[in-house]
Amino acid sequence: SASDDSDSTAEMALRGIQALLDGSRVHFELEYPCHSPSAQRWFLMRVIPFMGEKGGVVVAHTDITTRKKAEDELRIKEGMLEESQMIAHLGSWDWDILTKKLKWSNEVFRIFEISPQTFGATYKDFLECIHPDDRESVRAAVNRSLADPAFDYNIMHRIITPDGIEKIVRERGKVTFVERGKASHMI
C-alpha cells in the first residue's frame, strides 16, 4: 500500500542519516515519490555531514520529477521498439568502433539464436557467427564502409547458429565519422 511505501522510504532515509551521524557513511542519496491527489512528483534527497563544532548533517531535496517522467517515457518507447523488432523479426545493433564494443538488440540475439550471456559482444565474435565462406565479403564490406562515407553498407550473407543451422540475413548499416573522417560508430 502507499502507506507501507512511505513508511519504507522514511525508514531508509532514517537509516541513511543515522549512518552519516555515526560516521559509517560519508554521503547518502535517496530518490523517493511524493505524490499528491493532483500531481505525481519525485525528489532526490542528498545528505552530507556538516563539519561544524556540533556535527550534524545537511539535507537537500531536489525535484527530479522531469527526469523521472523522461525515464518512464524512455522505458515505454524502448518496450515499443523491442516489441516492434520482434514482430518484424528485425534487429538493430550499435558498434562503438573506438571502444570495440558491440551492442545487439534482443531481436538480433533471437535471429542469431545466441544468448546475450554467452556472446562476447565484439566485432570478432560477430564474424565468428558468419558462415566461413561469407566472412571475407562481410569483412570487405565493413572495411569499405569504415573508409568511404559514400559507401552503402547493404549486404546479404549466411550465418551459422550454435546448433549448426544456416540462415541468410540482410544487413544494412550506417557509419558515423568524427574528425578527419575517422569512423566512430556503425549502426
Side-chain angles (χ1 to χ4, degrees):
S1 76
S3 176
D4 292 342
D5 289 345
S6 61
D7 289 347
S8 173
T9 300
E11 181 64 31
M12 286 188 293
L14 177 62
R15 283 196 310 268
I17 291 169
Q18 286 174 333
L20 264 79
L21 290 170
D22 70 23
S24 62
R25 292 187 76 158
V26 293
H27 79 286
F28 174 73
E29 291 186 356
L30 176 68
E31 292 184 7
Y32 63 94
C34 186
H35 305 321
S36 71
S38 61
Q40 289 193 330
R41 297 177 7 183
W42 288 265
F43 289 87
L44 170 63
M45 179 177 75
R46 287 189 175 113
V47 186
I48 59 170
F50 181 71
M51 301 300 182
E53 260 180 50
K54 296 181 182 180
V57 294
V58 176
V59 179
H61 299 269
T62 305
D63 186 337
I64 58 169
T65 303
T66 302
R67 189 195 87 207
K68 293 297 274 188
K69 287 181 177 179
E71 288 171 351
D72 287 345
E73 184 66 26
L74 179 61
R75 266 191 295 283
I76 290 166
K77 288 184 179 192
E78 286 175 341
M80 290 171 62
L81 174 62
E82 182 163 347
E83 189 167 333
S84 297
Q85 287 190 357
M86 190 170 24
I87 290 167
H89 204 46
L90 174 87
S92 59
W93 45 269
D94 181 351
W95 177 30
D96 184 329
I97 298 160
L98 303 176
T99 65
K100 298 181 177 31
K101 292 291 180 189
L102 180 61
K103 294 179 195 167
W104 280 2
S105 68
N106 287 335
E107 191 59 21
V108 174
F109 285 107
R110 284 189 281 274
I111 291 166
F112 279 65
E113 298 182 24
I114 296 175
S115 163
Q117 292 78 22
T118 62
F119 183 66
T122 66
Y123 176 63
K124 181 179 182 259
D125 294 317
F126 159 69
L127 288 174
E128 290 296 316
C129 299
I130 297 173
H131 189 285
D133 294 342
D134 294 349
R135 281 186 194 145
E136 191 48 46
S137 63
V138 171
R139 193 178 288 118
V142 168
N143 289 341
R144 183 162 176 209
S145 295
L146 300 180
D148 181 359
F151 181 71
D152 182 27
Y153 182 78
N154 184 358
I155 62 171
M156 291 180 69
H157 64 83
R158 293 169 290 176
I159 61 170
I160 305 288
T161 69
D163 292 337
I165 297 168
E166 197 173 293
K167 292 182 175 181
I168 298 174
V169 297
R170 178 182 193 160
E171 289 188 26
R172 296 194 69 175
K174 180 176 183 342
V175 178
T176 302
F177 292 88
V178 290
E179 77 277 345
R180 289 185 234 107
K182 182 174 181 171
S184 66
H185 275 85
M186 186 173 190
I187 59 171

